[in-house]
Amino acid sequence: SQQGEEDPQALSIQEGENATMNCSYKTSINNLQWYRQNSGRGLVHLILIRSNEREKHSGRLRVTLDTSKKSSSLLITASRAADTASYFCAHTGTASKLTFGTGTRLQVTL
Amino acid sequence: DVKVTQSSRYLVKRTGEKVFLECVQDMDHENMFWYRQDPGLGLRLIYFSYDVKMKEKGDIPEGYSVSREKKERFSLILESASTNQTSMYLCASSLWAGSYEQYFGPGTRLTVT
């Protein structure tokens, strides 16, 4: 399987702390994306980083990409209870279809 | 805003029944996708379509078929439902072949008894 893996599988932090989740993949990629899924719902696109980029920011989100290590990380700063969700990385090769990781469940407590 | 809708949020079917899951997007997207999501396995691609009447197998097409007669509608068909097809099914669309961001529907939780 070319499916990516995410680490940790679950993460519990307090509101205001930073959350970091990591993603590894196995193939060459065109870009890598991060999605959020609230419990029992569909996925929502958060951010896309291209293979020639090393870091990207969007609001409280910071994504890094290391193509030599085939890995990416998502940092959420100053987390809020509303950030509680599952987070998935997904990578694209030559076609527009995505290969998803297994996800990280983030719990942010008050 | 892009809207992707799925015909049912929850569905219960019996083993051997033929099951239709419908997905509609309202933004004239060329690409549409069907995934299943299972605990610990993430999302796995079942089928996708780049255009009307076109379909491509994903990673786990066995036991499924699809139909895309109109650009906005992509149907997933379980010819003879089995208990191992109990899962959450997610439909998604993206604008065109070179765009990568996908827009997801709310999902259909299918239980086969």
Coordinates of all heavy atoms in Angstrom, one line a residue, chain A residues 50-106:
Chain A
R50 N 3.4 22.5 -1.9 CA 3.9 21.9 -3.2 C 5.3 21.3 -2.9 O 6.0 21.6 -1.9 CB 4.0 22.9 -4.3 CG 2.7 23.5 -4.6 CD 2.7 24.4 -5.9 NE 1.4 25.0 -6.1 CZ 0.4 24.4 -6.6 NH1 0.4 23.1 -6.9 NH2 -0.8 25.0 -6.7
S51 N 5.7 20.4 -3.7 CA 6.9 19.6 -3.5 C 8.2 20.5 -3.5 O 9.2 20.1 -2.9 CB 7.1 18.5 -4.5 OG 7.1 19.0 -5.8
N52 N 8.1 21.6 -4.1 CA 9.3 22.5 -4.1 C 9.2 23.6 -3.0 O 10.1 24.5 -3.0 CB 9.4 23.2 -5.5 CG 8.2 24.1 -5.8 OD1 7.2 24.1 -5.1 ND2 8.3 24.8 -6.9
E53 N 8.2 23.5 -2.1 CA 8.2 24.4 -1.0 C 8.6 23.6 0.3 O 8.5 22.4 0.4 CB 6.7 24.9 -0.8 CG 6.2 25.7 -2.0 CD 4.8 26.1 -1.8 OE1 3.9 25.2 -1.5 OE2 4.5 27.3 -2.0
R54 N 9.1 24.4 1.2 CA 9.6 23.7 2.5 C 8.7 24.1 3.7 O 8.6 23.3 4.6 CB 11.0 24.2 2.8 CG 12.0 23.6 1.8 CD 12.0 22.0 1.9 NE 12.8 21.5 0.7 CZ 12.1 20.9 -0.3 NH1 10.8 20.9 -0.3 NH2 12.9 20.4 -1.3
E55 N 8.0 25.2 3.6 CA 7.2 25.7 4.7 C 6.1 26.6 4.2 O 6.3 27.3 3.2 CB 8.1 26.5 5.7 CG 7.4 26.8 7.0 CD 8.4 27.4 8.0 OE1 9.4 26.8 8.2 OE2 8.1 28.4 8.6
K56 N 5.0 26.5 4.8 CA 3.8 27.3 4.4 C 3.0 27.6 5.7 O 2.9 26.8 6.6 CB 3.0 26.6 3.4 CG 2.1 27.5 2.6 CD 1.6 26.8 1.3 CE 0.8 27.7 0.5 NZ 0.4 27.1 -0.8
H57 N 2.4 28.8 5.7 CA 1.6 29.3 6.8 C 0.3 29.6 6.4 O 0.1 30.1 5.3 CB 2.3 30.5 7.5 CG 3.6 30.2 8.1 ND1 3.8 30.2 9.4 CD2 4.8 30.1 7.5 CE1 5.1 29.9 9.6 NE2 5.8 29.9 8.5
S58 N -0.7 29.4 7.2 CA -2.1 29.9 7.0 C -2.7 30.1 8.4 O -3.1 29.1 9.0 CB -2.9 28.8 6.2 OG -4.2 29.3 6.0
G59 N -2.8 31.3 8.8 CA -3.4 31.6 10.1 C -2.6 31.0 11.2 O -1.4 31.2 11.3
R60 N -3.2 30.1 12.0 CA -2.5 29.5 13.1 C -1.9 28.2 12.6 O -1.3 27.4 13.5 CB -3.5 29.2 14.2 CG -4.0 30.4 14.9 CD -4.9 30.1 16.1 NE -6.1 29.4 15.7 CZ -6.4 28.2 16.0 NH1 -5.6 27.4 16.7 NH2 -7.6 27.6 15.6
L61 N -1.9 27.9 11.4 CA -1.4 26.6 10.8 C 0.0 26.9 10.2 O 0.2 27.8 9.5 CB -2.3 26.0 9.8 CG -3.7 25.8 10.2 CD1 -4.5 25.2 9.0 CD2 -3.8 24.9 11.4
R62 N 0.9 25.9 10.5 CA 2.2 26.0 9.8 C 2.5 24.5 9.4 O 2.5 23.6 10.2 CB 3.3 26.4 10.8 CG 4.7 26.3 10.3 CD 5.7 26.9 11.3 NE 7.1 26.5 10.9 CZ 7.8 25.6 11.5 NH1 7.3 24.9 12.5 NH2 9.0 25.3 11.1
V63 N 2.8 24.4 8.1 CA 3.1 23.1 7.5 C 4.6 23.1 7.0 O 5.0 24.1 6.4 CB 2.2 22.8 6.4 CG1 2.6 21.6 5.6 CG2 0.8 22.6 6.9
T64 N 5.3 22.1 7.3 CA 6.6 21.9 6.7 C 6.6 20.6 5.9 O 5.8 19.7 6.1 CB 7.7 21.8 7.8 OG1 7.4 20.6 8.6 CG2 7.7 23.0 8.7
L65 N 7.5 20.6 4.9 CA 7.7 19.4 4.0 C 9.2 19.2 3.8 O 9.9 20.1 3.5 CB 7.0 19.7 2.7 CG 7.1 18.6 1.7 CD1 6.4 17.4 2.1 CD2 6.5 19.1 0.3
D66 N 9.5 17.9 4.1 CA 10.9 17.5 3.8 C 10.9 16.3 2.8 O 10.6 15.2 3.2 CB 11.6 17.1 5.1 CG 13.1 16.8 5.0 OD1 13.5 16.4 3.8 OD2 13.8 16.8 6.0
T67 N 11.1 16.6 1.6 CA 10.9 15.6 0.6 C 12.1 14.5 0.6 O 11.9 13.4 0.2 CB 10.9 16.2 -0.8 OG1 12.0 17.0 -1.0 CG2 9.6 17.0 -1.1
S68 N 13.2 14.9 1.2 CA 14.3 14.0 1.3 C 14.0 12.9 2.4 O 14.4 11.8 2.2 CB 15.6 14.7 1.7 OG 15.5 15.2 3.0
K69 N 13.2 13.3 3.4 CA 12.8 12.3 4.4 C 11.4 11.8 4.1 O 10.8 11.0 4.9 CB 12.8 13.0 5.8 CG 14.2 13.4 6.2 CD 14.2 14.0 7.6 CE 15.6 14.3 8.0 NZ 15.6 15.0 9.4
K70 N 10.7 12.3 3.1 CA 9.3 11.9 2.8 C 8.5 12.1 4.0 O 7.8 11.2 4.5 CB 9.3 10.5 2.3 CG 9.9 10.3 0.9 CD 9.6 8.9 0.4 CE 9.9 8.7 -1.1 NZ 11.3 9.2 -1.5
S71 N 8.5 13.3 4.5 CA 7.7 13.6 5.7 C 7.2 15.0 5.7 O 7.8 15.9 5.1 CB 8.5 13.3 7.0 OG 9.6 14.3 7.1
S72 N 6.1 15.3 6.5 CA 5.5 16.6 6.6 C 5.1 16.7 8.1 O 4.8 15.7 8.7 CB 4.4 16.7 5.7 OG 3.7 18.0 5.9
S73 N 5.0 17.9 8.5 CA 4.4 18.2 9.8 C 3.4 19.3 9.8 O 3.5 20.2 9.0 CB 5.5 18.5 10.9 OG 6.1 19.7 10.6
L74 N 2.4 19.2 10.6 CA 1.4 20.3 10.8 C 1.4 20.8 12.2 O 1.3 20.0 13.1 CB 0.0 19.7 10.5 CG -1.2 20.7 10.8 CD1 -1.2 21.9 9.9 CD2 -2.5 19.9 10.7
L75 N 1.6 22.0 12.3 CA 1.6 22.7 13.7 C 0.4 23.6 13.8 O 0.2 24.4 12.9 CB 2.9 23.5 13.8 CG 3.0 24.5 15.1 CD1 3.0 23.7 16.4 CD2 4.2 25.4 15.0
I76 N -0.3 23.4 14.8 CA -1.4 24.3 15.1 C -1.0 25.1 16.4 O -0.8 24.5 17.4 CB -2.8 23.5 15.4 CG1 -3.1 22.6 14.2 CG2 -3.9 24.5 15.7 CD1 -4.3 21.7 14.5
T77 N -0.9 26.4 16.3 CA -0.5 27.2 17.4 C -1.7 27.7 18.2 O -2.8 27.8 17.6 CB 0.3 28.4 16.9 OG1 -0.5 29.2 16.1 CG2 1.6 27.9 16.2
A78 N -1.5 27.9 19.5 CA -2.5 28.5 20.3 C -3.9 27.7 20.1 O -4.9 28.4 19.8 CB -2.7 30.0 20.1
S79 N -3.9 26.5 20.4 CA -5.0 25.6 20.0 C -6.3 26.0 20.8 O -6.2 26.6 21.9 CB -4.7 24.2 20.3 OG -4.5 24.0 21.6
R80 N -7.4 25.8 20.2 CA -8.7 26.1 20.8 C -9.6 24.8 20.9 O -9.3 23.8 20.1 CB -9.5 27.1 19.9 CG -8.7 28.3 19.6 CD -9.3 29.1 18.5 NE -8.5 30.3 18.2 CZ -8.7 31.1 17.1 NH1 -9.6 30.8 16.3 NH2 -8.0 32.2 16.9
A81 N -10.6 24.8 21.7 CA -11.4 23.6 21.8 C -12.0 23.3 20.4 O -12.2 22.1 20.1 CB -12.5 23.9 22.8
A82 N -12.3 24.3 19.6 CA -12.9 24.0 18.3 C -11.9 23.3 17.3 O -12.3 22.9 16.3 CB -13.3 25.4 17.7
D83 N -10.6 23.2 17.7 CA -9.7 22.5 16.9 C -9.8 21.0 17.1 O -9.1 20.2 16.4 CB -8.2 23.0 17.2 CG -8.0 24.4 16.8 OD1 -8.6 24.9 15.8 OD2 -7.2 25.1 17.5
T84 N -10.6 20.6 18.0 CA -10.7 19.1 18.3 C -11.3 18.5 17.0 O -12.4 18.9 16.6 CB -11.7 18.9 19.5 OG1 -11.0 19.4 20.7 CG2 -12.0 17.4 19.6
A85 N -10.6 17.5 16.5 CA -11.0 16.9 15.2 C -9.9 15.9 14.9 O -8.9 15.7 15.6 CB -11.0 18.0 14.1
S86 N -10.1 15.2 13.8 CA -9.1 14.3 13.2 C -8.4 15.0 12.1 O -9.1 15.8 11.3 CB -9.7 13.0 12.7 OG -10.1 12.2 13.8
Y87 N -7.1 14.9 11.9 CA -6.4 15.6 10.9 C -5.7 14.5 10.0 O -5.1 13.6 10.5 CB -5.3 16.5 11.5 CG -6.0 17.7 12.2 CD1 -6.5 17.5 13.5 CD2 -6.2 18.9 11.6 CE1 -7.1 18.6 14.2 CE2 -6.8 19.9 12.2 CZ -7.3 19.8 13.5 OH -7.9 20.8 14.2
F88 N -5.8 14.7 8.7 CA -5.3 13.8 7.8 C -4.3 14.5 6.8 O -4.7 15.6 6.3 CB -6.4 13.1 6.9 CG -7.3 12.3 7.7 CD1 -8.4 12.8 8.3 CD2 -7.1 10.9 7.8 CE1 -9.3 12.0 9.1 CE2 -8.0 10.1 8.5 CZ -9.1 10.6 9.1
C89 N -3.2 13.9 6.5 CA -2.4 14.3 5.4 C -2.8 13.5 4.2 O -3.3 12.4 4.3 CB -0.9 14.2 5.7 SG -0.3 12.5 5.8
A90 N -2.6 14.1 3.0 CA -2.9 13.4 1.8 C -1.9 13.9 0.7 O -1.6 15.1 0.6 CB -4.3 13.7 1.3
H91 N -1.3 13.0 -0.1 CA -0.4 13.4 -1.1 C -0.9 13.0 -2.5 O -1.7 12.1 -2.6 CB 1.0 12.8 -0.8 CG 1.0 11.3 -0.8 ND1 0.9 10.5 0.3 CD2 1.3 10.4 -1.8 CE1 1.0 9.3 0.0 NE2 1.2 9.2 -1.3
T92 N -0.4 13.8 -3.4 CA -0.7 13.6 -4.8 C 0.5 13.3 -5.6 O 1.5 14.0 -5.4 CB -1.4 14.9 -5.4 OG1 -2.4 15.3 -4.5 CG2 -1.9 14.7 -6.7
G93 N 0.4 12.3 -6.5 CA 1.5 12.0 -7.4 C 1.3 12.7 -8.7 O 1.1 13.9 -8.8
T94 N 1.3 12.0 -9.8 CA 1.1 12.5 -11.1 C -0.3 12.8 -11.5 O -0.6 13.6 -12.4 CB 1.8 11.6 -12.1 OG1 1.2 10.3 -12.0 CG2 3.3 11.5 -12.0
A95 N -1.2 12.1 -10.9 CA -2.6 12.3 -11.2 C -3.2 13.1 -10.0 O -2.6 13.4 -9.0 CB -3.4 11.0 -11.3
S96 N -4.5 13.5 -10.2 CA -5.1 14.4 -9.1 C -5.7 13.6 -8.0 O -6.4 14.1 -7.2 CB -6.1 15.3 -9.8 OG -7.1 14.6 -10.4
K97 N -5.5 12.3 -8.0 CA -6.1 11.5 -6.9 C -5.2 11.6 -5.7 O -4.0 11.7 -5.8 CB -6.4 10.1 -7.3 CG -5.1 9.2 -7.6 CD -5.5 7.8 -7.8 CE -4.3 6.9 -7.9 NZ -4.7 5.4 -7.9
L98 N -5.8 11.6 -4.5 CA -5.1 11.7 -3.3 C -5.0 10.4 -2.6 O -5.8 9.5 -2.7 CB -5.9 12.6 -2.3 CG -6.0 14.1 -2.7 CD1 -7.0 14.8 -1.7 CD2 -4.7 14.7 -2.7
T99 N -3.8 10.2 -1.9 CA -3.6 9.1 -1.0 C -3.5 9.6 0.4 O -2.6 10.4 0.7 CB -2.3 8.3 -1.4 OG1 -2.4 7.8 -2.8 CG2 -2.1 7.1 -0.5
F100 N -4.4 9.1 1.2 CA -4.5 9.7 2.6 C -3.7 8.9 3.6 O -3.5 7.7 3.4 CB -6.0 9.7 3.0 CG -6.8 10.8 2.4 CD1 -7.4 10.6 1.2 CD2 -7.0 12.0 3.1 CE1 -8.1 11.7 0.6 CE2 -7.7 13.0 2.6 CZ -8.3 12.8 1.3
G101 N -3.3 9.6 4.6 CA -2.7 9.0 5.8 C -3.8 8.4 6.7 O -5.0 8.6 6.4
T102 N -3.4 7.8 7.8 CA -4.4 7.2 8.7 C -4.9 8.1 9.7 O -5.9 7.8 10.4 CB -3.7 6.0 9.4 OG1 -2.5 6.5 10.0 CG2 -3.4 4.9 8.4
G103 N -4.4 9.3 9.8 CA -5.0 10.4 10.6 C -4.5 10.5 12.0 O -4.0 9.5 12.6
T104 N -4.6 11.7 12.6 CA -4.3 11.9 14.0 C -5.6 12.5 14.6 O -6.1 13.5 14.1 CB -3.1 12.9 14.1 OG1 -1.9 12.4 13.7 CG2 -3.0 13.4 15.6
R105 N -6.0 11.9 15.8 CA -7.1 12.5 16.5 C -6.6 13.5 17.5 O -5.9 13.1 18.4 CB -7.9 11.4 17.2 CG -8.7 10.4 16.3 CD -9.6 9.5 17.1 NE -9.0 8.9 18.2 CZ -8.2 7.9 18.2 NH1 -8.0 7.3 17.1 NH2 -7.7 7.4 19.3
L106 N -7.0 14.7 17.4 CA -6.6 15.8 18.3 C -7.8 16.1 19.2 O -8.9 16.4 18.8 CB -6.2 17.0 17.5 CG -5.9 18.2 18.4 CD1 -4.6 18.0 19.3 CD2 -5.6 19.5 17.5

